[in-house]
């Protein structure tokens, strides 16, 4: 007991710093037993980064953050203005990451957590409990012994003097309530106090306006148990709270704030997606304001230069002298100075930040072009004022360039917002409110209450009305209805839901009233996981993006060099009389003539179009895929899928329906058929294999068909009761991978499996049984052989029907130039029969689960791209080994780690959709690159005056600025065309040809 350290129990918070932070000590007495310290824990932070304009900016942010010690990985999205940083909190703080980004010249802020209630991590928690009724060391030993026997308990220490116990446990295996129950069952009193778990939440406030209000709220929160720290921001009307979710629920926090303040203060959860949308809207509004200001100031400049000289009265006014300056020139100077340095400040700031860190971007080009035009015009104005010679002045050039660039940026912001429409639609699926059914102490429903849907907690019973959305993932406790799940799974047909059915949050209840018990909330729901997965995919970079990043890194220096070269060639040629002076009569000298070409080259070049070519297309494609039930985990997977040469299908559950049924049972000994089925069912009852369930169901219905209650609940309870009494006891059960199972029943060995298992145990198969087995296999059925006490007893035939679309999809893949392969652990005859029915010539049969990955690698040896399609259950190694892993029929399990694609529906058509979407996306990306490259290749020579000697056409700098602005917009709009994508229909799949 000497090493026991238990933290003091108290509640509180700190305004802005966490003065009352609670620390939960780890189990000191177990440190030596634990061995070496665990690996450093990693955390992930979402950071909003503003000020990025092109891929060079994202590279600068990634380099700055990656340079910090303790940062494991960083991904930056130009379109989302977001960085995702994985770091070790023991080595680097969030503040250090923010500082690194700001040092790189960009603004940064930490985004609030993407969910209200984060799913519990699988790491062990340390929790404190108050234990009453202990009187001596024997009581302490008794409690510790009971706790250590519980599943999921990693350590337990109890202190008699303080009546406190500290338990280290795995929350996925045992809950705090289970621990309390175990202590009370042992005859002691127990109360949960606190845990080492913590969540952070940002709450919006109404009614908190002054420091006095903030002090009142501070006192309320300080008294609340389970709060670690908090900070009240009266300016933004927000409070950030770090709390122990094991000790206090989020809804309790919100309710307490309202009750303790007598209704003066109300707190609500701020949806992070709505917050992000408001930030995007603010960015667009800010850009529109700058555009309006620039346009308002630039139009008079343009009119004074181009229109006013032809209007007699106004021309007289602008030619009036105001000191040494003409009135028109002076007004232009004032207006353009505001545009250049007030409206155009953002360009100067961004250019300075880029240059300070040794990088260049579009802002550098804009600043160079507009500053050169402005400085020349000011110098020409001053020169004319003091010498009397009036050289041409081009104030309108810099003003119009900035105006057109802002116009292009505004359109770009709007267009980029369209690329994330898919996520916005998914977010909108979450209902705003939920109807909570209230219970009394006896568990009876006493009423209902409407609450914010973000405050739903696991275990809550919710009432779902017809036509309303299901607030969270859960299980139906009462009622029957049909639910439209098309927005999540893409399955158009309404799904029947009754008692014990699983429902998905965000889906629409069509007819009846349902009572649903919430099982997953916040980021644990299917919808939140889909949104998170799509966001992650949109932040990932496709390998083809490296080309754009490289070009962007050298683009600006090359353009500046070309600009200087353009000026030098035109100026030197003009100085030596290589072209007639009539070419620049209107501009008075070859210096100004050359300068205009040089400025046009700088302004017309656009690195942004290259940087936007890939991420905009990937963002739209991942969103479109999610709408069709095809979840892509990254741009790299999207890129690999377009070049797939082989698609390897797992047989069971992928090509087949995965609903095995016993079609035949035949005994080849003197054993009665009923006894034979009882023997087989007793052995298979301990197995988790799908075939085992089919055998168990067949045997059960053979014995008890027509003897069960008609109601579903009654039948299930009766079935469980019968199974416990009817089945024989199986001992020493073991599963033999790829072969079958073995066990002891009545102290005699039972073998159930394939030929290999029989041969391995020297069980001979009679000729008539072998003939019957071959006949089954030729009809695409799997034979299950049974031996008892080393003698062959009989066999069973099991069929797993093919999916109706399997043959058409296989034929469609062939039309697309893809070679289908079937992979199975089944015997060769059954495999060949299934393959023949579905149209696959390349079959790999009798492959053990561990050998499936080797088959995939063998296909990859010649450099071929291999896609593996499986259910993610026993083929995870093969999914991971494949270039493109597709987990089909994931349904609500969308977080299958080994898969690059998760096909939510259990439909093979989505395999074609995934590959077709990939091909269409990268065709669009190639077109984007073509547009971006062709634009610069053609536009820069034109701006440099390559056509002027032949055509006499000169591109003025303001027109060059307009072209540059619209080039990036055109690329984004090109990517938006992907939103018109329609997946191939089953009836048209066979018309697909190799592109």
């Amino acid at each position: 007991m000497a090493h026991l350290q238990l933290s003091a129990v108290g509640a509180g918070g700190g305004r802005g710093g966490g003065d009352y932070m609670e620390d939960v000590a780890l189990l000191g007495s177990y440190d030596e037993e634990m061995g070496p310290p665990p690996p450093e824990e990693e955390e992930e932070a979402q950071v909003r980064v503003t000020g990025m304009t092109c891929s060079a900016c994202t590279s600068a942010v990634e380099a700055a953050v990656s340079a910090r010690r303790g940062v494991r990985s960083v991904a930056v999205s130009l379109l989302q203005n977001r960085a995702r940083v994985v770091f070790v909190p023991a080595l680097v703080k969030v503040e250090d990451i923010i500082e690194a980004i700001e040092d790189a010249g960009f603004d940064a802020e930490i985004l609030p957590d993407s969910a209200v209630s984060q799913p519990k991590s699988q790491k062990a928690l340390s929790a404190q409990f108050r234990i009453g009724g202990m009187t001596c060391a024997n009581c302490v030993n008794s409690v510790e012994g009971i706790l250590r026997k519980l599943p999921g308990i990693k350590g337990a220490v109890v202190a008699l003097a303080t009546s406190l116990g500290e338990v280290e446990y795995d929350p996925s295996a045992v809950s705090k309530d289970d621990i309390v129950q175990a202590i009370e069952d042992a005859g002691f009193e127990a109360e949960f106090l606190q845990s080492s778990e913590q969540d952070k939440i940002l709450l919006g406030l109404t009614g908190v306006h002054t420091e006095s209000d903030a002090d009142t709220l501070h006192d309320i929160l300080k008294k609340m148990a389970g709060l670690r720290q908090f900070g009240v921001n009266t300016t933004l009307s927000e409070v950030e709270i770090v709390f122990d979710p094991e000790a206090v629920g989020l809804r309790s926090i919100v309710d307490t704030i309202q009750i303790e303040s007598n209704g003066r203060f109300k707190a609500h959860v701020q949806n992070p997606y709505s917050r992000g949308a408001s930030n995007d809207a603010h960015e667009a509004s800010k850009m529109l304001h700058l555009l309006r200001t620039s346009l308002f100031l630039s139009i008079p400049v343009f009119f004074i230069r181009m229109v006013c000289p032809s209007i007699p009265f106004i021309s007289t006014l602008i030619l009036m002298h105001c000191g040494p300056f003409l009135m028109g020139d002076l007004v232009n100077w004032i207006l353009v100075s505001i545009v250049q340095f007030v409206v155009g400040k953002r360009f100067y700031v961004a250019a300075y930040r880029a240059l300070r860190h040794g990088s260049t971007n579009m802002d550098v080009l804009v600043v160079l072009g507009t500053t050169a035009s402005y400085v020349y015009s000011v110098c020409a104005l001053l020169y004319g004022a003091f010498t009397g010679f009036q050289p041409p002045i081009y104030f309108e050039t810099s003003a119009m360039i900035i105006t057109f660039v802002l116009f292009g940026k505004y359109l770009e912001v709007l267009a980029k917002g369209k690329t994330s429409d898919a996520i916005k639609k998914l977010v909108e699926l979450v209902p705003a409110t939920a109807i909570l059914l209230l219970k009394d102490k006896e568990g009876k429903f006493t009423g209902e209450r409407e609450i914010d849907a973000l405050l739903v907690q696991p275990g809550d019973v919710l009432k779902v009305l017809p036509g309303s959305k299901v607030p969270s993932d859960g299980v139906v406790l009462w009622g029957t209805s049909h639910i439209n799940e098309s927005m999540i799974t893409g399955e158009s047909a309404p799904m029947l839901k009754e008692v014990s059915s699983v429902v998905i949050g965000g889906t629409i209840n069509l007819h009846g009233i349902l009572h649903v018990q919430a099982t997953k909330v916040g980021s644990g729901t299917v919808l939140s996981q889909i949104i998170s997965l799509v966001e992650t995919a949109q932040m990932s970079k496709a390998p083809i993006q490296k080309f754009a990043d490289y070009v962007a890194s050298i683009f600006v220096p090359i353009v500046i060099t070309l600009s200087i070269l353009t000026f030098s060639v035109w100026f030197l040629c003009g100085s030596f009389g290589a072209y007639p002076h009539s070419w620049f009569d209107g501009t008075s000298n070859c210096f100004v003539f050359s300068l205009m070409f040089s400025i046009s080259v700088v302004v017309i070049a656009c690195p942004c179009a290259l940087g936007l070519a890939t991420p905009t297309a990937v963002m739209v494609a991942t969103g479109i895929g999610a709408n069709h039930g095809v979840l892509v985990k990254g741009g790299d997977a999207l890129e690999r899928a377009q070049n797939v040469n082989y698609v390897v299908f797992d047989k069971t559950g992928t090509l087949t329906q995965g609903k095995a049924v016993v079609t035949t049972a035949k005994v080849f000994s003197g054993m009665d058929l009923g006894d034979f089925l009882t023997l087989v069912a007793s052995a298979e009852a301990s197995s988790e294999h799908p075939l085992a369930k089919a055998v168990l169901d067949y045997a059960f219905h053979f014995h008890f068909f027509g003897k069960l209650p008609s109601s579903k609940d009654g039948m299930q309870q009766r079935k469980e009761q019968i199974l416990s009494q009817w089945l024989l006891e199986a001992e020493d059960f073991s599963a033999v991978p790829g072969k079958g199972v073995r066990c002891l029943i009545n102290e005699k060995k039972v073998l159930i499996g394939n030929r290999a298992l029989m041969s391995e145990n020297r069980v001979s198969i009679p000729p008539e049984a072998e003939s019957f087995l071959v006949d089954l296999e030729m009809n695409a059925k799997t034979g299950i052989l049974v031996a008892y006490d080393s003698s062959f007893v009989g066999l069973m035939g099991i069929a797993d029907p093919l999916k109706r679309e399997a043959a058409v999809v296989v034929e469609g893949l062939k039309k697309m130039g893809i070679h289908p392969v079937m992979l199975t652990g089944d015997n060769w005859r059954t495999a060949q029969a299934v393959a023949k029915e579905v149209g696959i010539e390349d079959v790999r049969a009798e492959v053990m689960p561990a050998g499936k990955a080797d088959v995939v690698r063998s296909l990859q040896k010649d450099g071929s791209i291999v896609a593996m399609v499986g259910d993610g259950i026993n083929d995870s190694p093969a999914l991971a080994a494949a270039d493109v892993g597709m987990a089909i029929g994931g349904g609500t399990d969308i977080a299958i780690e080994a898969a690059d694609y998760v096909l939510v529906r259990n439909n093979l058509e989505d395999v074609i959709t995934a590959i077709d979407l990939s091909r269409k996306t990268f065709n669009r990306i190639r077109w984007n690159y073509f547009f971006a490259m062709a634009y610069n290749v053609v536009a820069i020579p034109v701006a440099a005056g390559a056509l002027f000697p032949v055509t006499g056409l000169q591109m003025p700098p303001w027109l060059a600025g307009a072209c540059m602005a619209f080039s990036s917009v055109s690329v984004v709009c090109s990517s938006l065309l992907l939103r018109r994508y329609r997946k191939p229909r089953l009836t048209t799949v066979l018309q697909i040809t190799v592109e």
Side-chain angles (χ1 to χ4, degrees):
M1 299 296 293
H3 298 289
L4 175 62
Q5 295 182 355
L6 292 171
S7 61
V9 178
R15 293 178 60 196
D19 301 328
Y20 298 86
M21 181 71 180
E22 293 179 347
D23 295 316
V24 181
L26 292 175
L27 295 170
S29 60
Y30 279 84
D31 288 345
E32 294 180 4
E33 298 177 20
M34 296 294 286
E40 296 169 325
E41 291 184 5
E42 296 179 349
E43 289 186 6
E44 182 180 288
Q46 298 275 352
V47 185
R48 182 175 181 81
V49 185
T50 53
M52 298 187 298
T53 57
C54 62
S55 55
C57 300
T58 62
S59 299
V61 173
E62 288 178 352
V65 176
S66 299
R68 294 288 173 129
R69 179 171 173 265
V71 173
R72 293 290 182 255
S73 66
V74 56
V76 182
S77 170
L78 173 64
L79 297 180
Q80 294 176 316
N81 290 322
R82 182 182 297 186
R84 177 171 291 170
V85 185
V86 178
F87 64 99
V88 179
L91 300 177
V92 63
K93 304 298 182 187
V94 172
E95 292 76 14
D96 299 329
I97 296 171
I98 296 294
E99 182 183 357
I101 296 173
E102 290 177 344
D103 285 347
F106 304 94
D107 296 325
E109 65 169 325
I110 289 291
L111 292 172
D113 291 336
S114 60
V116 175
S117 177
Q118 298 293 336
K120 296 291 182 292
S121 58
Q122 297 307 307
K123 65 181 181 181
L125 297 182
S126 181
Q128 288 183 342
F129 298 84
R130 180 173 282 118
I131 304 172
M134 297 187 298
T135 57
C136 61
N138 285 336
C139 297
V140 171
N141 293 334
S142 175
V143 173
E144 288 182 349
I146 290 166
L147 291 175
R148 290 172 190 170
K149 291 178 181 177
L150 287 176
I153 299 295
K154 302 196 174 178
V157 177
V158 178
L160 177 63
T162 58
S163 296
L164 292 176
E166 188 165 356
V167 181
E168 188 176 5
Y169 67 99
D170 180 355
S172 64
V174 63
S175 70
K176 68 180 191 305
D177 296 329
D178 295 332
I179 296 172
V180 169
Q181 186 66 45
I183 297 173
E184 291 178 344
D185 288 345
F188 302 95
E189 298 174 356
E191 178 189 0
F192 173 81
L193 297 178
Q194 63 178 357
S195 79
S196 59
E197 179 74 323
Q198 71 176 34
D199 272 357
K200 183 193 290 183
I201 191 65
L202 187 68
L203 298 178
L205 299 171
T206 54
V208 179
H209 307 294
T210 65
E211 282 299 316
S212 174
D213 293 335
D215 291 337
T216 304
L217 179 61
H218 174 269
D219 292 337
I220 293 172
L221 295 175
K222 186 177 178 181
K223 296 175 185 176
M224 203 179 301
L227 300 198
R228 297 275 167 78
Q229 65 184 69
F230 50 83
V232 181
N233 187 325
T234 54
T235 306
L236 299 176
S237 294
E238 295 175 345
V239 58
E240 186 175 73
I241 299 175
V242 178
F243 66 99
D244 179 358
E246 295 282 293
V248 62
L250 181 57
R251 191 165 69 240
S252 300
I253 297 174
V254 172
D255 290 345
T256 302
I257 290 174
Q258 183 171 352
I259 293 169
E260 293 296 321
S261 67
N262 296 319
R264 282 177 57 204
F265 307 146
K266 290 186 179 180
H268 60 274
V269 179
Q270 292 201 339
N271 191 317
Y273 300 108
S274 301
R275 187 184 178 96
S278 65
N279 285 333
D280 293 339
H282 175 71
E283 179 69 18
S285 175
K286 182 179 177 181
M287 195 66 69
L288 180 60
H289 174 70
L290 289 174
L291 173 61
R292 284 174 174 169
T293 304
S294 181
L295 196 60
F296 177 76
L297 296 172
S298 299
I299 288 176
V301 175
F302 182 80
F303 267 82
I304 290 173
R305 166 76 174 175
M306 301 294 181
V307 179
C308 293
S310 353
I311 304 173
F313 172 71
I314 298 179
S315 65
T316 304
L317 288 177
I318 64 175
L319 292 175
M320 289 175 59
H321 278 270
C322 182
F325 305 107
L326 294 176
M327 183 64 72
D329 292 340
L330 190 60
V331 171
N332 278 351
W333 188 9
I334 294 171
L335 294 176
V336 171
S337 295
I338 298 173
V339 174
Q340 185 74 32
F341 300 110
V342 179
V343 177
K345 177 184 175 182
R346 66 184 304 277
F347 297 112
Y348 281 94
V349 172
Y352 167 73
R353 289 170 172 174
L355 293 172
R356 188 177 65 174
H357 291 275
S359 62
T360 52
N361 56 19
M362 185 208 73
D363 298 298
V364 173
L365 296 178
V366 173
V367 166
L368 280 175
T370 57
T371 303
S373 175
Y374 179 83
V375 170
Y376 162 75
S377 298
V378 171
C379 292
L381 179 63
L382 295 176
Y383 180 78
F386 294 107
T387 63
F389 176 74
Q390 295 292 336
I393 297 172
Y394 293 96
F395 277 125
E396 77 283 352
T397 296
S398 64
M400 296 303 288
I401 288 173
I402 289 175
T403 301
F404 277 118
V405 170
L406 287 174
F407 183 49
K409 282 292 174 187
Y410 175 65
L411 293 179
E412 187 180 315
V413 168
L414 294 180
K416 286 196 293 187
K418 296 288 185 183
T419 62
S420 58
D421 275 355
I423 285 184
K424 292 175 185 173
K425 289 178 181 177
L426 288 171
V427 171
E428 289 169 358
L429 292 177
V430 182
T433 59
I435 300 175
L436 175 67
L437 294 178
L438 305 176
K439 297 180 184 178
D440 58 18
K441 293 182 179 179
E442 297 178 356
K444 296 180 180 178
F445 294 116
T446 58
E448 55 188 51
R449 170 189 167 198
E450 190 172 34
I451 62 171
D452 188 329
L454 296 174
L455 296 179
V456 174
Q457 297 174 172
D460 285 347
V461 178
L462 308 170
K463 183 178 180 180
V464 185
L465 299 173
S468 63
K469 295 177 181 176
V470 179
S472 70
D473 294 0
V475 177
V476 177
L477 296 182
W478 176 88
T480 302
S481 182
H482 283 80
I483 286 184
N484 180 6
E485 297 182 345
S486 61
M487 63 290 297
I488 302 292
T489 65
E491 188 64 58
S492 57
M495 305 299 291
L496 174 64
K497 301 294 178 181
E498 48 193 358
V499 175
S500 300
S501 296
V502 175
V503 294
I504 304 173
T507 55
I508 299 175
N509 181 25
L510 298 179
H511 304 299
I513 296 176
L514 296 176
H515 289 182
V516 175
Q517 183 173 41
T519 55
K520 294 179 181 178
V521 299
S523 65
T525 63
V526 171
L527 183 59
S528 293
Q529 290 184 53
I530 289 175
I531 293 171
S532 176
L533 193 142
V534 172
E535 283 185 327
T536 302
Q538 291 177 347
M539 289 192 71
S540 67
K541 286 187 177 181
I544 196 173
Q545 179 69 23
K546 294 177 182 177
F547 166 73
D549 292 343
Y550 171 73
V551 172
S553 66
I554 62 173
F555 186 87
V556 175
I558 289 176
V559 169
I560 293 173
T561 303
L562 289 174
S563 176
I564 294 172
L565 187 62
T566 298
F567 174 81
S568 302
V569 170
W570 279 108
F571 183 72
L572 290 175
C573 289
S575 300
F576 291 107
Y579 51 82
H581 288 275
S582 59
W583 284 9
F584 55 81
D585 277 346
T587 54
S588 80
N589 59 63
C590 67
F591 174 83
V592 178
F593 183 67
S594 305
L595 181 64
M596 290 300 108
F597 281 123
S598 177
I599 292 173
S600 294
V601 169
V602 169
V603 172
I604 203 169
C606 183
C608 293
L610 283 168
L612 293 170
T614 298
T616 52
V618 169
M619 179 172 273
V620 175
T622 50
I624 291 298
N627 289 340
H628 288 95
V630 177
L631 303 179
V632 192
K633 291 195 175 180
D636 51 347
L638 201 63
E639 182 167 348
R640 289 195 300 270
Q642 62 163 331
N643 297 318
V644 165
N645 305 111
Y646 290 92
V647 172
V648 180
F649 291 99
D650 185 41
K651 179 178 77 73
T652 304
T654 303
L655 288 173
T656 64
Q657 295 178 14
K659 299 176 182 177
V661 291
V662 176
T663 59
T664 307
K666 190 168 185 179
V667 180
F668 291 88
S669 67
M671 185 181 291
D672 178 73
L673 179 59
D675 294 338
F676 171 74
L677 293 177
T678 301
L679 178 74
V680 177
S682 300
E684 293 284 17
S686 301
S687 175
E688 296 179 354
H689 197 281
L691 298 185
K693 184 178 183 303
V695 170
L696 199 60
D697 286 345
Y698 183 82
F700 181 84
H701 282 86
F702 177 85
H703 284 287
F704 303 102
F705 183 74
K707 301 176 184 178
L708 296 175
S710 57
S711 71
K712 184 175 180 180
D713 291 343
M715 184 174 70
Q716 185 65 30
Q717 293 172 3
R718 178 66 175 148
K719 182 176 180 180
E720 292 174 359
Q721 181 183 357
I722 291 174
L723 284 176
S724 63
Q725 300 172 355
W726 161 57
L727 296 178
L728 304 173
E729 183 178 357
E731 299 175 336
D732 294 336
F733 176 87
S734 63
V736 185
K739 297 178 182 177
V741 299
R742 60 161 67 99
C743 65
L744 293 177
I745 294 179
N746 297 329
E747 297 183 355
K748 295 180 181 179
K749 184 188 288 187
V750 177
L751 301 172
I752 303 175
N754 55 20
R755 288 185 181 86
L757 184 66
M758 299 295 133
S759 175
E760 189 179 275
N761 289 272
R762 298 180 180 178
V763 175
S764 59
I765 303 173
E768 61 272 23
E770 180 65 32
S771 175
F772 188 79
L773 178 60
V774 169
D775 187 53
L776 286 175
E777 293 171 344
M778 294 296 288
N779 287 283
K781 296 177 182 178
T782 301
I784 303 295
L785 308 176
V786 182
Y788 181 57
D789 194 20
S790 300
S791 300
F792 183 81
V793 179
L795 59 80
M796 304 177 77
I798 297 181
D800 188 0
L802 281 172
K803 292 177 180 174
R804 61 179 180 79
E805 74 276 7
V808 179
V809 169
V810 167
E811 184 63 25
L813 288 173
K814 293 178 180 177
K815 291 282 186 179
M816 296 171 75
I818 298 171
H819 186 76
V821 179
M822 192 182 82
L823 189 61
T824 179
D826 216 335
N827 64 82
W828 275 100
R829 286 194 187 90
T830 302
Q832 291 284 7
V834 172
K836 183 178 180 181
E837 191 174 346
V838 83
I840 295 178
E841 292 83 20
D842 192 346
V843 182
R844 314 294 169 95
E846 298 181 5
V847 180
M848 299 293 178
K852 292 182 178 180
D854 295 330
V855 172
V856 170
R857 294 189 190 98
S858 68
L859 295 173
Q860 293 170 327
K861 284 183 179 178
D862 61 353
S864 296
I865 305 297
V866 178
M868 172 71 195
V869 185
D871 54 16
I873 297 173
N874 62 356
D875 45 24
S876 291
L879 288 174
D883 299 286
V884 181
M886 296 185 184
I888 190 169
T892 58
D893 183 17
I894 61 107
I896 300 173
E897 291 294 331
D900 300 300
Y901 282 76
V902 176
L903 311 181
V904 179
R905 301 187 306 159
N906 196 10
N907 194 315
L908 289 171
E909 292 176 64
D910 290 341
V911 175
I912 286 182
T913 301
I915 297 173
D916 185 59
L917 177 62
S918 172
R919 291 182 174 183
K920 294 284 197 310
T921 300
F922 275 84
N923 280 339
R924 180 56 54 187
I925 289 174
R926 292 185 189 98
W927 275 110
N928 287 350
Y929 277 125
F930 173 77
F931 289 143
M933 294 295 293
Y935 164 80
N936 285 295
V937 168
V938 173
I940 291 177
V942 171
L947 300 180
F948 184 81
V950 179
T951 63
L953 295 176
Q954 180 181 7
M955 181 178 287
W958 63 266
L959 182 58
C963 292
M964 184 270 284
F966 285 103
S967 64
S968 54
V969 176
S970 65
V971 167
V972 177
C973 291
S974 170
S975 295
L976 287 175
L977 291 175
L978 279 171
R979 296 201 303 173
R980 300 166 58 188
Y981 175 82
R982 296 291 180 270
K983 68 177 188 178
R985 293 183 178 274
L986 198 62
T987 53
T988 59
V989 163
L990 298 182
Q991 275 67 53
I992 296 175
T993 56
V994 182
E995 298 182 8

